[in-house]
Amino acid sequence: MDTPRMGIDERLAARMSMPEQHEYLRARLSRRGVLRRGAAAAGVAAGAGLLGGSAVHAAPGAPRSGPVLLSSPATGRVDGSLVAPFGRHLALGADPRTQMRVAWQVPFAVRGPFLRLGTEPWDLGRRIPAEVRHLHTPSLSRRLPAVDQYYLHVALDGLRPGTTYYYGVGHEGFDPAGARVPAAVGSFTTAPARAGRFVFTAFGDQGVSYHALANDALILAQGPAFHLHAGDICYADGSGLGKESDTYDARTWDQFLAQTEPVASRVPWMVTTGNHDMEAWYSPDGYDGQRARFALPGNGPDAVPGAYSFTYGNVGVVALDSNDVSHEIPANRGLSRGRQTAWLERRLRGLRATAGIDFVVVFFHHCAYSTTSAHASDGGVRKEWTHLFDTYAVDLVVNGHNHVYERTDAIRGGEVSLPLPVGATVRPERDGTVYVTAGGAGKELYGFAVPDSHEGKVEDLSHVATYHWTESRVPAPEVVRWSRVRYTGYSFLAVEVEPAPAGGTATLTVSALAEDGRRIDRFTVARKAGSGTGGRSGSGSGSGSGAG
């Protein structure tokens, strides 16, 4: 569990922002001579030769807007034919009909990395050079070695809608076009030009475990068009307190990307940032590690890489970085200086004004509404965002952070606006928004202070005693009526989208599946065709109950 633990250094770090922690780590490690050793090693590697383009250098501790992107140094000790790419992962561009981003990793520096692309698995004739993003992580403690990681990226634009493409990744000495191993070739399908039926999946708090593997296998079986990961991606930072005393093992990312490759190489893996994803060593905002490993749509506020949006069929999806507003873990609180919230309102307004968009789904890490004993609810999220979800009648909000499954009734203004038992239907423009905590992706489970209640085991409780985090980081007790479904186990969401027939009703059928395949929850979100246009005037002006 990542419940706060206060020691001498941790009390200091609790008062430090992420930029201050970045400077502290750089200065501390410089005193230990780690940076000098790292610089010497980098100089030796650079002397072996550079791949395409010039290296970008930054002084240790200097603020920067993105990762240090190095053309990967060639190695004379490892033949390219012996270096196998791994950790392939896809991401949608801002227009999933015509854009896809492909990323992968190599364990050693290679020459001339590239991607091959075609519309048949035996014809990968198009060859596209890859961008190399090199991350160097020094030994942040005596028990951890220094680590160099090489991430490769290709942005594919101008694709044909509704088309299946095949791809392979390689480098000098390793060409997927000549590989005799079928697994060397991956595939993806672009979004169709017109909305049709599709499925997407979602969870948060995955990490590396057998439970994470089990969920991945079940997700692949759903045949999703894309997957939403609501933060706390791999847990290289094991404590997640957003402090300089956090332990950090960069090698966990290698394990994570290898673990998820069987599904993420075929299903776009759309991530956002959680508290465990702030890695202070790399940059003042803690996100340069994410910028190196993932290529996301990038159409949100510049300072917040985990905030972006895309549309797929009749669904608009908005990702947010709740570290920016969290009361519980304040290391990056105020990172965007309000720009993310202003962008969110513009984006929700724009989606509701867009013809053909029936549903709006928002996902981020910290919970607006949860009753677990570990983290419960974040008052900062409630204060900044839930009134916007009310105003624009958001159809579904997905969170992680709490390692369980929990689902609310329909909520408006912080109160139950419609009781929603298992199997029921909600119409958000009339009834309010449903919030789902889907944090049972693979990490150690949390618990509830009251019995579980889910499909096959219903325990109706009129009130649940819990708490929310205030701006002063003091948990404030509250008694709530909105906790409808609770499940202490590993699980994920599968959402089936059905467009409306002419003059009919579009639906999102939301199911929660346990890692053994059992369904533990189901509800339907319904909208009359065209009812998604415009915000709810005069509603949701408050910040919700318990905003702290």
Side-chain angles (χ1 to χ4, degrees), residues 280-535:
W281 162 258
Y282 297 117
S283 59
D285 62 5
Y287 293 149
D288 271 11
Q290 175 169 317
R291 292 181 180 99
R293 296 178 178 107
F294 295 94
L296 299 169
N299 54 2
D302 290 341
V304 190
Y308 57 88
S309 182
F310 63 90
T311 60
Y312 194 106
N314 63 334
V315 178
V317 179
V318 181
L320 298 172
D321 176 8
S322 54
N323 292 318
D324 185 28
V325 300
S326 174
H327 282 172
E328 180 193 4
I329 300 172
N332 256 342
R333 184 194 298 167
L335 170 68
S336 76
R337 299 184 180 181
R339 290 192 293 271
Q340 181 177 207
T341 298
W343 171 82
L344 169 63
E345 180 161 24
R346 291 194 302 273
R347 187 57 182 148
L348 293 177
R349 186 188 309 121
L351 287 170
R352 284 300 183 217
T354 301
I357 299 296
D358 295 312
F359 299 107
V360 175
V361 175
V362 180
F363 74 108
F364 52 91
H365 188 62
H366 301 75
C367 297
Y369 298 103
S370 180
T371 64
T372 68
S373 54
H375 295 299
S377 307
D378 198 303
V381 169
R382 293 185 186 181
K383 179 180 179 181
E384 296 293 333
W385 294 342
T386 57
H387 67 285
L388 294 177
F389 303 154
D390 290 347
T391 299
Y392 296 98
V394 166
D395 298 282
L396 178 65
V397 174
V398 179
N399 300 139
H401 201 41
N402 287 294
H403 301 179
V404 291
Y405 177 83
E406 187 170 17
R407 194 257 295 166
T408 71
D409 290 320
I411 293 178
R412 182 176 296 133
E415 301 293 341
V416 174
S417 50
L418 177 74
L420 196 68
V422 174
T425 297
V426 60
R427 296 180 179 272
E429 72 277 17
R430 179 192 70 193
D431 301 328
T433 298
V434 178
Y435 294 78
V436 174
T437 298
K443 287 298 287 184
E444 296 85 354
L445 295 170
Y446 296 168
F448 298 100
V450 295
D452 282 11
S453 179
H454 52 83
E455 186 169 356
K457 183 185 180 298
V458 175
E459 296 276 352
D460 281 331
L461 297 177
S462 58
H463 297 84
V464 176
T466 181
Y467 64 93
H468 65 270
W469 290 92
T470 65
E471 191 166 2
S472 59
R473 298 195 69 209
V474 176
E478 61 182 356
V479 177
V480 303
R481 297 175 52 243
W482 38 254
S483 180
R484 173 61 59 173
V485 178
R486 298 172 298 278
Y487 175 71
T488 306
Y490 297 100
S491 61
F492 67 94
L493 283 185
V495 183
E496 182 179 353
V497 183
E498 286 281 0
T505 299
T507 58
L508 295 179
T509 301
V510 184
S511 298
L513 303 178
E515 68 172 334
D516 61 5
R518 288 180 300 120
R519 192 177 67 194
I520 55 173
D521 189 21
R522 178 177 60 87
F523 65 96
T524 300
V525 182
R527 276 191 180 270
K528 187 78 171 176
S531 68
T533 303

Side-chain angles (χ1 to χ4, degrees), residues 184-249:
V185 178
S187 66
F188 61 82
T189 301
T190 53
R194 300 186 61 174
R197 178 196 171 276
F198 68 94
V199 172
F200 70 89
T201 52
F203 62 35
D205 303 79
Q206 186 177 16
V208 179
S209 73
Y210 289 117
H211 300 292
L213 278 170
N215 269 340
D216 280 357
L218 279 175
I219 284 171
L220 193 56
Q222 312 307 308
F226 56 87
H227 176 74
L228 307 180
H229 194 312
D232 281 6
I233 302 169
C234 88
Y235 289 81
D237 176 349
S239 61
L241 302 178
K243 298 177 178 179
E244 61 83 23
S245 55
D246 288 0
T247 57
Y248 175 70
D249 189 345

